[in-house]
Structures are given as structure tokens and as C-alpha cells.
Amino acid sequence: MRVAEPTIERLVQYHRLLETLKDEGHRVVSSQQIGDLLGFKASQVRKDLSYFGEIGKRGVGYHVERLCDHIVEILSSPKIWRIAMAGVGNMGTALLLNPAFRSPKVRFEALFDIDPRKTGRDISGIHCWHFTEIPSVMSEKEIEVLILAVPAHAAQRCVDLAIASKALRGVLALTQGSLVVPEEILVVRVDIMAELEKLLFFMKQPEAVWG
Amino acid sequence: MRVAEPTIERLVQYHRLLETLKDEGHRVVSSQQIGDLLGFKASQVRKDLSYFGEIGKRGVGYHVERLCDHIVEILSSPKIWRIAMAGVGNMGTALLLNPAFRSPKVRFEALFDIDPRKTGRDISGIHCWHFTEIPSVMSEKEIEVLILAVPAHAAQRCVDLAIASKALRGVLALTQGSLVVPEEILVVRVDIMAELEKLLFFMKQPEAVWG
DNA sequence: TTTTGTGAAGTTTTTCACAGCG
DNA sequence: CGCTGTGAAAAACTTCACAAAA
């Protein structure tokens, strides 16, 4: 199936909202309500949901639990992804301790850092290796996903080591700056400083287009 | 001037790259090179840069320092933005200590938290108040930007308090879940968990569209 | 009647392709 | 010649508007 990136991003939000609605005891919800709650147009919500089959009831709306299960199915993983994280500083620790990151879809298999106070022991229940061991550990444990939470100057080096492992297939980069990777490896970048710059730009230019 | 959001996002990246190129002693750079280094098409780079006037030299390329200054000018702020951050946990601390966040464009004027071990004292040189003081402190210090690094359940409450201050104009939300705000207030959301979900989705569906 | 599902229309963003200038 | 700047074309994404179903 052919699904666009923005749709997947919204699907994650629909899922969270539906979990909340379920907890609050709602049985049914309309595209209009979903849109109002998340800030999208109702037609956008319907279009997104329609890509995956007819799931609503005309004249009624969407059955909360059924729709939720449906989206879970769409977003479901064929397996539990093995994940490693490079950089166990404040940012890395924040993610590690964030309950939202402790999803059943992923399992943290390894941490990497350069700081000898961190390497060689478990942090939050996960063993931390020196970053030079990225290739061997990722290869041995068949870790396909790397989360980069290292300082910008170390990012490319870590990715290169991960690529050398031959197991790497996807990267979530929380570091600023771009990465050079073979095209079969997917990279999602999250650049908080760039987002702040964007916010400031549009704050000074109220007439500019705002997406 | 009318500039699209994606262009501004790329402009921030061009800026960083040019700083690096400058340090490395490059004098001139072509749109092709910029594109290769950042993963964009050369035509995209040229289109972006052309929105702000003719800055390159045909047959030669762009003068690194001149282009860099030009982009700095485009992204420049009319003032130093006063910023507050709610939530001084691992995520908040990570941002606070990140040198990239210590930009001359912004000044952290206040921190807010609910933990009595943090409130009432300075953290990293900035005073931390109890979150109930958001309206009075933001109002008094005329703080226009709020960075939200609190747990998801506390996000809306903090924003509502900030809105009550009447000074708030923009929010950088690092929390998952949506926020309800008056439409004159700009919100930029950074949702790391959603980005990870997106990555996993496209990893399981290699045939899907990848933006 | 209400609300979905969806082709068609509209808008935004990217890419092409080439004129134009150094 | 080489590389920019830019209209025009293409692609991607969103919104409209209405037929169809409950």
C-alpha cells in the first residue's frame, strides 16, 4: 500500500487520542470531533482513515475501540525491533526514562557512550559499551535501529560504525547536522534547535506562510 | 515576503553547513555541493536561495561567507527573544546545557518546575519558579516564548497558565499530544516518539512512499 | 438526517529544463 | 563553458463537495 509520510504522522496522533477517548469511556467519535481535538480538518481525518479501508459507519462515526485497534494494526510491527542508543547524556537518559519510549514494539539492546564512567555497566537495566564496540555489538545482537543522542561532532562517526555492523537499517537522529548514509538506510531527523529557529522566524514575520 | 515553512527549515541547515565550510576554509560552493552534503536536489537549493534575491554568481557558485551572512540576515531576529522553559527534567536539562541552545538570539529568563528540590533556586544560572507562578513571572518579564519539556499530562495546564500571562506568542512543545491554544499563538511541536513510530512504519514497508 | 468515503479541485512544494550571465 | 535564477511542469498533499449508506 502507498501511504504518504504526513498521513503516518497523523495516524500516530489519532492512535494516542483514541486511547484517551477509550479511557474516558467514549464509544463513538466523528471525524469532525477528531479534527477539532487535534487541529486537523475533518476531511483530512476521513481521507487519512479511508486509505486503509472503510472503517467508519455513515451517519454515525467511528467506533472508538474498533478504530483504535485498526490503527494499531496499521502501525503494528512484524516483530519487536532491536534498538541501540548512542549517547547516554541528558538527552539519551530523558528518552530512556520516558515511559512512552518503553513501547512493546521496541527493545533497547545496547547503549553506547565514550565516557568511562558510563561504559562497562548497566544503565537503566541496559548495558553500556564503549562506542568503538558499535560494529561488533550491533552485528552480534542484530540491532537494526540506532538512536543518535550524541553531540553533533560525533554523529557521523557513530553512524559509520553502525553501518559497518551490516545490521543497521534505520536511524533516529536527535543531533543537528546532516548524516551521509547509504540510501537503503532510513534516517529520521529530529532537530530541536532548527524547530526553535523556525518558530522565531515565523514569530517575527506574521505575514509569512504558516504550515 | 512570502516564504514557505520547508524553505525556512532548510535555511537553518544551509546556515550550519556554511559555518562549517567557512571554518574549513572553503571560499565558494555550488548548489550541487550544498545539495549533496545535505541530501537535497541542487534545484531545490537554488530555488530556496533565490527567494531572497540574487546572491550567487553564475558560472561560479555562491561565495561562502557572503551567502552565510545573507542567511544570517534572513533568519535574524529583531531582538533577543525572552524564553521560559517549563520542566527541568532530563529533557529540559539537556536543552539548557546544549551549547546550540545558548544562542545570542534567545535568553532564558525563567525556568518552571513542580519539584520543590528544583524550585526557588538557580539552575544553570537561571532561576526556577514553581509552575503556578508562570502567569506572573512571564507577564512581568514579558516572556514571549515557552519551551515545554514537561510530562504530557502537564502540558496543556502549563500552556493555559502561559496564555494567561498575556505575553506568550510562541510555544516549542517537546511533549506528545496536542495543545489547544488561541490561533494567534504559534506552536511548533517536536514529537520524538511519533518520529520513531514513523521510522518503524517505513522500515516495515519498504515500498511505501518515503519523503 | 447525519456522517462517511471519495473523485475532483485546489493549494503547496518540488523538480525540470533552459535562458542568461560571468 | 559552468552554474545560477526562474518560469513552467510535475508531484505531493489538502480541501471541497456530494453521492451513498446507516
Side-chain angles (χ1 to χ4, degrees), chain A residues 9 194-199 201-202 205 208-211, chain B residues 1-13 44 48 51-52 75 186-189:
Chain A
E9 213 149 323
E195 298 298 323
L196 178 61
E197 282 258 17
K198 198 170 77 181
L199 175 66
F201 179 85
F202 286 102
Q205 299 229 136
V209 173
W210 182 254
Chain B
M1 197 190 311
R2 182 152 280 257
V3 196
E5 197 183 343
T7 294
I8 295 304
E9 213 149 323
R10 286 188 296 266
L11 233 42
V12 175
Q13 297 186 59
Q44 178 79 82
D48 285 339
Y51 290 137
F52 305 95
L75 296 175
L186 299 179
V187 178
V188 169
R189 295 189 356 110

Side-chain angles (χ1 to χ4, degrees), chain B residues 97-163:
Chain B
L97 298 180
N98 189 147
F101 248 73
R102 290 312 183 97
S103 136
K105 253 176 234 186
V106 304
R107 189 160 61 216
F108 281 88
E109 294 279 348
L111 303 176
F112 299 102
D113 207 293
I114 197 173
D115 183 343
R117 283 169 302 180
K118 291 169 186 160
T119 57
R121 62 187 193 81
D122 287 13
I123 298 175
S124 201
I126 301 144
H127 196 77
C128 183
W129 315 76
H130 192 263
F131 81 98
T132 49
E133 306 202 65
I134 288 176
S136 57
V137 173
M138 285 187 67
S139 184
E140 192 181 319
K141 291 178 179 277
E142 296 175 30
I143 296 172
E144 294 182 297
V145 183
L146 178 68
I147 299 179
L148 273 180
V150 298
H153 67 268
Q156 184 66 56
R157 195 162 165 203
C158 288
V159 175
D160 289 342
L161 290 168
I163 291 167

